Amino acid sequence: RLGLHRDVRLDLDSRGTFFWSQIDGIQNLRAIEKEIRSQFSLDPRESREATIIFTKTLMLRHFVQLKIES
């Protein structure tokens, strides 16, 4: 790509910002989901849904990739 760097901006709400801050390459999604549940006093359904939506959005924009462990 000719070495050009393109800045990308993604606006996140407070939950999305917290989710992003938890991504460290070590924690799995289940652990991050539990942190979101605790931080925002969500029920399990809400925290799972938020985790899936944030993960999907970031993956579609190529900000994160998932590593599947067997």
Side-chain angles (χ1 to χ4, degrees), residues 2 6 9 12 14-15 17 20-21 23 28-29 32-34 37-41 46 48 59 61 65 70:
L2 302 176
R6 189 175 110 199
R9 181 182 172 119
L12 299 170
S14 59
R15 290 180 189 177
T17 300
W20 179 255
S21 74
I23 298 172
N28 62 32
L29 285 176
I32 294 172
E33 181 265 330
K34 287 179 182 178
R37 184 183 322 153
S38 174
Q39 179 74 20
F40 295 97
S41 301
E46 289 175 313
R48 280 191 302 270
M59 286 180 69
R61 295 182 183 193
Q65 294 178 346
S70 50

Side-chain angles (χ1 to χ4, degrees), residues 23-65:
I23 298 172
D24 60 6
I26 299 169
Q27 292 190 90
N28 62 32
L29 285 176
R30 182 169 290 129
I32 294 172
E33 181 265 330
K34 287 179 182 178
E35 291 293 327
I36 289 173
R37 184 183 322 153
S38 174
Q39 179 74 20
F40 295 97
S41 301
L42 302 175
D43 67 46
R45 184 192 56 78
E46 289 175 313
S47 60
R48 280 191 302 270
E49 185 176 291
T51 301
I52 290 167
I53 289 170
F54 292 136
T55 302
K56 183 177 178 180
T57 299
L58 294 173
M59 286 180 69
L60 287 172
R61 295 182 183 193
H62 305 286
F63 286 113
V64 298
Q65 294 178 346

